[in-house]
Amino acid sequence: MEFKGELDVRDVMIDELAQGKELIKQLQSLLMDASVSMEKRQFLMNQIISIYNKALNLIRFNGEPIVPDPSFSSLFGGVPQNSPFSVAGNSHMSCRSSDVDEEQLRPSKKRKTLPRRVEMVKMNNGEELPGDGYSWRKYGQKFILGAKFRRGYYRCTHRHSQGCAALKQVQRSDEDPTVSQVIYVGDHTCNTTIQITGPSTSTHEPRVHLTLTQHPPQQQPQIPTKPQLTVQTEELNNGDQDKFYFRCFSFSTAVIDSDNADVDVAGWLLDESPVTSGSDQFQASPGKMNTPESDIRQVFTLEELDILDPNFGFDNPDLFI
DNA sequence: GAAATTTGACCGGG
DNA sequence: CCCGGTCAAATTTC
């Protein structure tokens, strides 16, 4: 049997350690913030430990394959047992599947597969998967050897209408049934828009529109992308009544598109607590969200949002109730 | 009635 | 031949 050369192993190690460094930076800022939950910190710490374990193993075994823990089925790509998987409390903490793909550690004769992204998702009420911004159609489920729960197979709803080839697989964790591992396979090539119109009164037209748009990729994507959020505003002059409701997605990038300003907002939005209120003032049109309205929560007023501030950051934890 | 889900059959890679 | 992934008919939900 043949394994990757020393150079490849070195590259993988550099990747791993660089990622570890990034996570430590994240952890550092989380530790400064008292409002961040213990689980979230634990999650990051476990990720860091996992990465350093892998790097150590690479050094110890000079790139030879590390036997994955059998309690992680093939779905988990050989993530060590001390991975974040056992840690509850975080939705949509994601990592590139290549992080855990043993193909990185040895050459494969298998044909190249579609890009994959792996996410650990904490389910709402321990039962239902929070929405990810896409519309999916289930096409199968199967018991996988060694797993307690069936794996669900989903494809993009727009597979036939737009030829979108995106797939996802969902499997509940054996250890923590309130957590599911979601694997996104391939990228969306569909162009879908979900529009949410803000609250209106009898005397005013709606003033805020949230539009979730998935654009087809411009180039060959390396990993599946996430949708963009556009916040469009009109007549921002009504003080307290300008509250609106924000969907709990995780985004890699959101775009605020105001009358005269286009503001790019980088950062991740994380679902951290159960949704509580506000769904009665919410309208969705013309499409529908693929999660229940209870998944919508009031987050901030327009004033708080400070929509014209180009430095506005969605990753400010104070925004989230 | 259309759309979504369930479920057993089928297929192909290893 | 086994197993993971997909298909498609049947069934359920909206």
Side-chain angles (χ1 to χ4, degrees):
Chain A
M1 209 184 273
E2 220 183 327
F3 300 104
K4 278 196 175 181
E6 225 169 275
L7 256 183
D8 288 348
V9 174
R10 186 168 164 271
D11 288 347
V12 176
M13 275 172 50
I14 289 170
D15 265 8
E16 294 294 337
L17 292 172
Q19 212 183 10
K21 188 181 159 189
E22 276 308 306
L23 289 173
I24 288 170
K25 277 189 197 166
Q26 282 180 40
L27 181 61
Q28 191 179 28
S29 52
L30 290 191
L31 288 173
M32 310 288 262
D33 184 347
S35 69
V36 175
S37 68
M38 211 40 156
E39 284 94 343
K40 194 167 171 182
R41 294 173 184 175
Q42 184 77 41
F43 181 99
L44 263 180
M45 284 190 276
N46 279 322
Q47 270 200 314
I48 293 165
I49 290 167
S50 162
I51 280 170
Y52 278 89
N53 273 341
K54 242 189 294 174
L56 280 171
N57 280 328
L58 283 169
I59 295 167
R60 282 187 192 129
F61 303 108
N62 196 27
E64 297 208 2
I66 301 154
V67 180
D69 190 297
S71 66
F72 272 79
S73 67
S74 60
L75 177 67
F76 304 107
V79 179
Q81 201 163 25
N82 59 358
S83 77
F85 194 78
S86 58
V87 180
N90 291 279
S91 300
H92 288 110
M93 296 299 275
S94 71
C95 59
R96 286 170 23 239
S97 64
S98 55
D99 296 344
V100 294
D101 193 344
E102 64 178 20
E103 277 209 11
Q104 275 196 344
L105 304 180
R106 58 178 165 181
S108 171
K109 284 170 191 157
K110 281 187 239 170
R111 64 183 163 82
K112 291 289 172 197
T113 51
L114 288 165
R116 290 180 164 221
R117 189 180 76 239
V118 182
E119 295 194 0
M120 310 295 180
V121 179
K122 174 87 174 173
M123 288 179 286
N124 292 338
N125 313 315
E127 279 298 319
E128 58 193 32
L129 217 55
D132 57 10
Y134 295 109
S135 183
W136 299 99
R137 167 83 64 90
K138 193 172 188 176
Y139 66 89
Q141 58 179 13
K142 214 171 171 70
F143 276 113
I144 299 304
L145 211 68
K148 263 189 228 163
F149 301 98
R150 283 179 295 192
R151 180 180 298 178
Y153 298 89
Y154 301 80
R155 64 168 60 104
C156 178
T157 302
H158 307 99
R159 179 187 172 98
H160 292 118
S161 57
Q162 296 182 39
C164 180
L167 301 171
K168 82 170 175 180
Q169 299 175 3
V170 177
Q171 178 135 32
R172 274 198 196 199
S173 162
D174 288 348
E175 289 96 12
D176 181 358
T178 68
V179 173
S180 282
Q181 169 122 358
V182 182
I183 295 187
Y184 294 93
V185 183
D187 210 349
H188 285 266
T189 54
C190 55
N191 190 349
T192 57
T193 298
I194 298 167
Q195 250 189 2
I196 307 164
T197 301
S200 62
T201 66
S202 54
T203 53
H204 287 86
E205 288 299 307
R207 293 176 302 280
V208 179
H209 312 277
L210 304 186
T211 306
L212 180 70
T213 305
Q214 169 63 31
H215 300 287
Q218 304 297 312
Q219 302 160 342
Q220 278 291 65
Q222 293 307 302
I223 55 170
T225 56
K226 288 178 173 243
Q228 280 191 332
L229 177 73
T230 301
V231 180
Q232 217 170 27
T233 62
E234 312 166 8
E235 300 179 32
L236 302 178
N237 54 5
N238 212 16
D240 282 351
Q241 308 225 351
D242 282 331
K243 286 180 188 275
F244 66 101
Y245 299 88
F246 202 91
R247 181 70 178 74
C248 316
F249 285 119
S250 60
F251 293 97
S252 53
T253 302
V255 177
I256 292 184
D257 184 7
S258 179
D259 290 341
N260 298 312
D262 275 12
V263 186
D264 281 333
V265 181
W268 291 84
L269 303 181
L270 299 173
D271 301 356
E272 293 212 275
S273 57
V275 172
T276 51
S277 64
S279 56
D280 56 325
Q281 292 180 53
F282 168 85
Q283 281 185 329
S285 68
K288 65 164 194 171
M289 312 297 275
N290 65 350
T291 43
E293 287 188 358
S294 62
D295 204 8
I296 313 293
R297 60 180 159 172
Q298 181 180 331
V299 177
F300 39 69
T301 65
L302 291 179
E303 259 184 17
E304 288 162 347
L305 175 62
D306 195 6
I307 207 157
L308 296 176
D309 177 7
N311 298 316
F312 175 83
F314 270 116
D315 48 1
N316 179 356
D318 292 336
L319 289 174
F320 302 98
I321 299 165

